[in-house]
Amino acid sequence: MINNIKSIFKNLSGVIIGAVFLFLTLHEKPLGPVWESLAGADYFFIFLSFLCLFLVFYLRALRWKLLIEEAGETPKSDKVFTSLLLGYFVNSFTPKLGEIIRCTSLQKNSKVPVAVSMGSVMAERAYDLLILGLGILCIFFIELERLQGIIDSTIGGISHIYGYRYIYVLPIFLILFVILFLVSLKRLKKSEKPIIKKVVGFLQSMFESLKQGLLLKKRFKFILLTLLIWMTLVILNYIYLLCLPETSEYSIFFAVVILFIGGLGWALPSPGGIGTTHFFLLQLFLAYQLDANAGISFGILSNGLTFIGTLVLGGYGYFRYWVEMKRA
């Protein structure tokens, strides 16, 4: 019951965050030019973006499989791909619940323990957050004067939801939570209750999988796959730019900036990055003194195509998963 309430609260808070940022993005903006811009989108590049998105998911599946293998499991590539598509499909509607879905579905179709796959997902996220953080730092270092306003706008946007004081309290709260969690886990290890032993065993397996994922043996293959994923994401954002007449002449460097600054929006707990990515992309266009309507159009187009593509591929993943379960 408590877990259900927490899940509902988490999903609801994600929707509220997305709605607030979407309101801040579209408030008092004329939407007529935006719809005209979207109507003139190039269908060839829209189709190309779907192929590119498929490649991103496939590369992510290969990398996830590699991390699972580091923990001693050997699932088939097609089953890992199916579970990953299911996870991203669910993430389109709920903030990060898809990570649980892809791990539980992989347990059903490949007998990979949830604790192991969850640890590998945590390792995957840790590496991606590292690259995202390094990319953001590099871009802000290069373009500090232009992008300083985004920091102020972001803090202002979040303060509409939580208030300024909570922004500064959050890091302290997270540190205290980690300390209390580690102390509690140490005490729980001494318990003789069966249910406590199960929980502790699950957590130990998960953290062992996380450790194996962070202490990579196949480093070269993992680094290669990671570089390919992020390069493909740059190309995907460049294709999105090519879709619209107003943004088709922007450089591929701007696509790199979009990837990392827009990534801030995807990192926030909003379903499918709706609202948060639109907000960051608009601030980015304004920082570069580009047309605000073009920024809104690009945000709607890029987020919309990613959302639709994820739904289509997720539906395909669900069909494959259903067929696999029928055959089992």
Side-chain angles (χ1 to χ4, degrees), residues 5 16 19 60 79 130 132 147 165 168 182 193 214 216 240 249 253 276-277 285 294-295 303 314 319:
I5 293 172
I16 292 172
R60 284 192 178 280
K79 295 185 183 298
L130 176 63
L132 179 64
L147 300 178
R165 55 184 176 177
Y168 303 107
L182 292 174
K193 293 181 179 179
L214 295 175
L216 292 165
Y240 286 151
E249 295 182 0
F253 173 74
T276 52
T277 53
F285 273 66
N303 186 274
F319 174 74

Side-chain angles (χ1 to χ4, degrees), residues 3 188 191-203:
N3 288 334
L188 287 173
S191 175
E192 295 298 324
K193 293 181 179 179
I195 189 167
I196 299 295
K197 283 186 173 182
K198 274 192 172 184
V199 172
V200 172
F202 177 86
L203 292 173

